[in-house]
Amino acid sequence: SKGEGKNRYTFFSQEMNKTADEKMQLSNELYRALERDEFVLNYQPQTDISGTKIIGMEALIRWNHPEKGLLPPLDFIPLAEDIGLINDIGKWVLYKACKDNKDLQDRGGPCIRVAVNLSVKQFSGSSLVDMVKETLYQSELKPEYLELEITESIAMGDFTDVQQVLKNLRELGITLSIDDFGTEYSSLSRLRHLPVDRIKIDKQFIQGISKSTHDESITSFIIALSKSMGLKVIAEGVESNSQISFLTEKSCDEIQGFYFYKPMEFEKLLDVFEVKA
Ligand code: C2E
Ligand code: CA
Ligand code: CA
Ligand code: CA
């Protein structure tokens, strides 16, 4: 279609802006970033609808690049996926997130879940379940305090395979959520059979609240759908009072967004919980 053609054009022109040299250099730096310990995790609290109770947090990676400064994930995660580094990075993220959460508990902080993003590439190998199991063991975090976030396209991928992996993951005692819900293709009949616990409404819909009846309808629909399937529902990208009012009225369970908390370093999180560093 015309729409696809336009997207493709945008994609190519952005890619071509980066010369092959630049890309090669960034790849080389990315290979060394792990051993040089240049990645950091930020944590964004997730709360109940009133914002008073923190019930979870999402781990979000940044790259502390020696010259370029702090880089957001979209500047290097797609590249890491392309050059086959995402499994190593993903493993680092998982361990660090579990270890930090265990640390938080050991210092007398609350027992809450930490949510970790998974790339589709981490799903293709058969070792994901073992890797998660091993990481829980090494970090000594109880599985109930780990959640993995998968996108709709992962969840809706090759059905029997994915469903089995998700089941095996859940049997470890962790929870699963579907991220960016509503932005990709979804089969509602499949959704019914997926072993997941939580749906995350994508921020593009939340940011349309009070601006677009279309986005409001989709948000209401996703909340109602989640509830009817016995799933928890969390709204992402919540920035305003009017969004909170709307979500409260629709009985959304949980909130994640700048309105209550921005992503922060672990040390800052300890401050939030008034835990000594
Ligand atoms: P995501 O999983 O959808 O993460 C939520 C993004 O929304 C984060 O961006 C977060 O900072 C941002 N956000 C949260 N609240 C608000 C808000 O109220 N307003 C706005 N405008 N934005 C908000 P971030 O940290 O730049 O991450 C971007 C994406 O990078 C993530 O999207 C996720 O897909 C990916 N990512 C982040 N960390 C990891 C990781 O460890 N592994 C993998 N594979 N992907 C990651
Ligand atoms: Ca996420
Ligand atoms: Ca998301
Ligand atoms: Ca997203």
Side-chain angles (χ1 to χ4, degrees):
S1 75
K2 252 187 175 167
E4 273 167 20
K6 185 162 176 273
N7 283 338
R8 200 150 294 161
Y9 174 75
T10 313
F11 173 75
F12 278 126
S13 57
Q14 278 172 358
E15 288 301 287
M16 281 156 63
N17 273 337
K18 281 195 191 124
T19 65
D21 268 6
E22 271 178 326
K23 251 191 139 168
M24 179 72 84
Q25 175 160 7
L26 203 64
S27 306
N28 288 335
E29 290 165 345
L30 203 50
Y31 277 110
R32 288 187 302 245
L34 261 180
E35 56 197 65
R36 293 185 182 177
D37 208 20
E38 290 171 353
F39 294 117
V40 284
L41 289 187
N42 280 6
Y43 295 97
Q44 185 177 30
Q46 302 169 328
T47 68
D48 66 351
I49 191 93
S50 72
T52 49
K53 190 167 190 270
I54 297 177
I55 47 199
M57 54 191 176
E58 180 174 4
L60 296 160
I61 194 172
R62 279 95 182 83
W63 178 11
N64 201 351
H65 188 280
E67 288 102 40
K68 297 185 167 80
L70 212 58
L71 298 181
L74 296 182
D75 283 6
F76 62 91
I77 290 291
L79 179 62
E81 288 172 341
D82 280 355
I83 63 179
L85 263 181
I86 196 64
N87 280 299
D88 289 343
I89 295 176
K91 205 169 161 182
W92 179 87
V93 170
L94 189 69
Y95 179 75
K96 179 76 174 143
C98 290
K99 192 84 182 109
D100 281 350
N101 199 17
K102 176 70 165 80
D103 253 31
L104 178 67
Q105 297 178 359
D106 288 348
R107 291 164 197 249
C111 294
I112 57 174
R113 64 169 190 263
V114 65
V116 173
N117 291 284
L118 283 188
S119 154
V120 64
K121 294 272 161 67
Q122 291 176 271
F123 249 81
S124 48
S126 56
S127 56
L128 178 64
V129 181
D130 289 338
M131 193 273 279
V132 174
K133 191 176 171 183
E134 183 65 20
T135 304
L136 285 166
Y137 178 76
Q138 285 179 356
S139 66
E140 296 178 49
L141 182 72
K142 283 197 186 141
E144 63 197 280
Y145 302 120
L146 175 64
E147 180 155 286
L148 295 179
E149 297 197 356
I150 58 172
T151 59
E152 248 175 314
S153 53
I154 298 177
M156 301 295 161
D158 189 329
F159 195 46
T160 44
D161 281 5
V162 171
Q163 209 184 11
Q164 193 54 53
V165 175
L166 297 183
K167 268 192 187 142
N168 293 345
L169 284 172
R170 233 160 148 239
E171 271 161 20
L172 299 176
I174 69 170
T175 54
L176 300 175
S177 66
I178 302 189
D179 204 0
D180 303 340
F181 192 80
T183 58
E184 296 172 323
Y185 61 93
S186 238
S187 157
L188 297 183
S189 59
R190 280 181 165 193
L191 183 63
R192 197 159 57 89
H193 298 290
L194 281 181
V196 297
D197 303 273
R198 196 179 319 275
I199 298 281
K200 297 190 82 175
I201 310 172
D202 192 70
K203 55 177 174 287
Q204 83 178 66
F205 304 117
I206 303 306
Q207 289 173 357
I209 292 172
S210 338
K211 291 182 198 129
S212 145
T213 52
H214 175 81
D215 289 341
E216 289 184 353
S217 306
I218 291 177
T219 302
S220 306
F221 170 73
I222 296 175
I223 295 172
L225 178 73
S226 306
K227 288 185 176 284
S228 77
M229 293 192 306
L231 302 175
K232 290 276 182 202
V233 59
I234 179 165
E236 184 172 71
V238 177
E239 294 181 354
S240 76
N241 219 338
S242 61
Q243 291 163 358
I244 293 283
S245 306
F246 183 89
L247 293 164
T248 306
E249 193 197 303
K250 303 293 174 191
S251 304
C252 186
D253 299 309
E254 299 166 5
I255 301 292
Q256 181 182 344
F258 297 170
Y259 186 78
F260 290 126
Y261 295 100
K262 290 191 170 161
M264 59 185 89
E265 292 191 350
F266 184 64
E267 287 66 32
K268 182 80 195 306
L269 190 77
L270 295 177
D271 283 350
V272 168
F273 290 119
E274 295 173 1
V275 168
K276 285 225 169 68

